[in-house]
Amino acid sequence: MTRRGFLLGAISAGASRAAARPDLGFHLTDVTGAAGIDFHHNSGAFGAKYLPETMGPGCAFLDYDGDGWLDILIVNGMDWPGHKRAPKGPRSTMCLYRNNRNGTFTDVTERAGLAVEMYGMGVAIADYNNDGFPDILVTAVGQNRLFQNTGRGHFLDVTEKAG
């Protein structure tokens, strides 16, 4: 059997399996843009194929403002040092989206004090200082960062203070 014959056979077998899928009674629709989520992950990839470039961004659902509705935090990477793709382009920061309670979200990253550029990988939410407000720990390439929720819609970087 030739490589071409093998590939053509595999493609036709896959197509016949796809045609035989049962109707599940529902379909999914991408409403990301309509919901106000405009996030673009920056892996920093430039050709060296570093391991962090192969991983997606971290994400957390939290009620940062205490209104009873889950908000969305998406962690972002950044360009590697010495390999900036667009020196005058937008900064690569995490994004905090406030739930508008109607199926849409508003980007409040700047207002919340979270427009910090770092090569973030993951995120954990906990009330580290027991004040009743969810705080944010971002794991990153390099220094992990701890952000304390002030309870007034703003976060403070307390990484150094917390040790």
Side-chain angles (χ1 to χ4, degrees):
M1 172 176 274
T2 66
R3 187 163 95 175
R4 174 177 278 208
F6 174 77
L7 291 174
L8 289 173
I11 290 170
S12 65
S16 64
R17 273 196 303 263
R21 288 185 185 152
D23 179 16
L24 299 176
F26 68 91
H27 71 278
L28 301 176
T29 303
D30 184 356
V31 297
T32 311
I37 307 294
D38 184 26
F39 177 81
H40 301 280
H41 181 236
N42 179 4
S43 70
F46 65 94
K49 306 212 185 300
Y50 294 137
L51 181 61
E53 298 171 3
T54 67
M55 300 176 193
C59 178
F61 295 86
L62 71 155
D63 182 12
Y64 89 97
D65 54 3
D67 65 357
W69 292 77
L70 287 178
D71 309 298
I72 302 172
L73 177 72
I74 309 173
V75 176
N76 208 349
M78 63 183 278
D79 293 336
W80 292 104
H83 295 281
K84 293 276 186 195
R85 288 184 285 172
K88 294 183 181 180
R91 294 173 56 224
S92 234
T93 69
M94 66 183 110
C95 291
L96 177 62
Y97 292 98
R98 183 180 186 279
N99 192 325
N100 296 326
R101 307 175 193 182
N102 63 1
T104 66
F105 294 82
T106 301
D107 186 342
V108 295
T109 310
E110 290 276 345
R111 186 175 355 153
L114 294 174
V116 178
E117 196 167 30
M118 70 179 103
Y119 202 111
M121 299 291 296
V123 60
I125 306 298
D127 183 9
Y128 93 98
N129 58 349
N130 293 318
D131 63 357
F133 303 109
D135 305 304
I136 299 169
L137 174 70
V138 178
T139 58
V141 173
Q143 178 70 53
N144 294 339
R145 305 287 279 277
L146 178 62
F147 297 93
Q148 179 184 334
N149 189 334
T150 65
R152 294 183 296 264
H154 191 77
F155 290 85
L156 301 173
D157 186 341
V158 294
T159 305
E160 288 186 32
K161 178 181 169 187

